[in-house]
Amino acid sequence: MVRRVATAAVLALSLGLLSALPACAQQAPTAAVAPATPTLVQLPAPDGRTIDVSVWQAADEQAVVVFGHGWGAFPGAYHKIIEYWVAHGFTVVAPMHTDSMRHPQRAEQTPQTIFTTRIVDLAVVRGYVKAQHPGKPLVAAGHSFGSLNALMEAGAETAAGSQGDADVKVVVALSSPGLIPNVVTPATFATVTTPVLMVTGDADLVQGFVTDPVDHRAPFDHSPAGDKMLLTFAGGDHSLIGNADAADFDLIAATTLDFMRAHALNDAVAQARLNALTAPEGVTIERR
């Protein structure tokens, strides 16, 4: 019975996200500068697959971000925010999941295998990061489906059970997939005590799936209070991280960086900036 419920829930997740996230994957970079080329690493998965991983190495590495892309997307689609983090000392390691439009085995996947392989991919990548970057603080980040994965790495409990990693120091969730019957409910986030920064918009809708932008607030509203922060952009849609104007992108980039510094590196100066941050016109900042 439990397995049937989980299967139905994963189907709901996949159908909803499939209609929305490839749009972000197809967006051209907003910067005029060509994206930096990451190092490509292939890691063996326990099920015999090979996981293709992009690594953007920071010159002065302070911490490592494990990043999950949105449904149908790929790591390079997020190069602008990734390169910002890397330039400021955060190495980014990002697997290409089996739902990616660029994955050679995508046609062979089912909603059930995609949900499972994402969990496996990220567990393998975290193990790789811990071995290759020993002692570096670990950040979980992602967009949409990837943000759900990041929250799961921080203890959020879905139909897949607990996938929490105690080494994850902070979560950066760029939008979320919303609430999903039997998979993601308000109770899902009751176990997330890790610091979480969420970024969303009041037009963050997923056609045929998320009809109320408030759904995207769930990780902020329903996780235990303490070190939780939410930025909501007027007019921001589900692909905000890809189509934000220069001012909005700068705010997102600087805030995510300070949040990671404050909670992964115990940077008191970054925390002071976060505490003093005020919302410009068109943006709401909430803390709890």
Side-chain angles (χ1 to χ4, degrees), residues 67-269:
F67 186 87
H69 63 70
W71 177 279
F74 60 99
Y78 304 90
H79 75 92
K80 190 176 179 183
I81 188 66
I82 287 173
E83 290 169 14
Y84 181 91
W85 293 339
V86 171
H88 292 84
F90 287 77
T91 292
V92 177
V93 183
M96 182 167 68
H97 297 299
T98 57
D99 56 88
S100 172
M101 293 291 191
R102 299 190 174 191
H103 198 286
Q105 297 175 328
R106 186 177 191 275
E108 304 168 18
Q109 304 304 311
T110 67
Q112 295 86 348
T113 61
I114 287 169
F115 195 81
T116 301
T117 56
R118 274 183 169 257
I119 294 171
V120 172
D121 290 351
L122 291 163
V124 169
V125 168
R126 292 196 309 276
Y128 167 80
V129 167
K130 292 173 189 180
Q132 296 297 316
H133 306 261
K136 297 296 183 181
L138 187 62
V139 177
H143 171 241
S144 195
F145 199 163
S147 77
L148 173 59
N149 292 136
L151 287 157
M152 290 167 66
E153 293 171 83
E157 296 193 8
T158 67
S162 177
Q163 305 295 327
D165 186 330
D167 290 325
V168 171
K169 303 300 183 185
V170 57
V171 171
V172 175
L174 304 172
S175 191
S176 79
L179 297 175
I180 305 163
N182 300 314
V183 172
V184 182
T185 69
T188 293
F189 307 106
T191 49
V192 180
T193 57
T194 305
V196 176
L197 169 64
M198 289 203 65
V199 179
T200 187
D202 64 8
D204 192 347
L205 304 173
V206 181
Q207 186 175 3
F209 185 60
V210 177
T211 58
D212 187 348
V214 171
D215 280 359
H216 297 286
R217 296 177 51 100
F220 175 79
D221 289 334
H222 299 290
S223 59
D227 297 325
K228 304 300 192 299
M229 190 170 181
L230 172 66
L231 271 62
T232 304
F233 289 77
D237 63 16
H238 201 60
S239 295
L240 175 64
I241 191 57
N243 61 25
D245 64 25
D248 286 349
F249 178 82
D250 287 348
L251 178 59
I252 293 170
T255 306
T256 56
L257 180 63
D258 273 342
F259 199 84
M260 293 189 299
R261 283 174 168 169
H263 297 290
L265 305 177
N266 297 315
D267 186 330
V269 175

Side-chain angles (χ1 to χ4, degrees), residues 3-19:
R3 184 172 181 176
R4 287 199 297 271
V5 169
T7 298
V10 171
L11 281 168
L13 171 65
S14 65
L15 291 174
L17 291 179
L18 181 60
S19 67

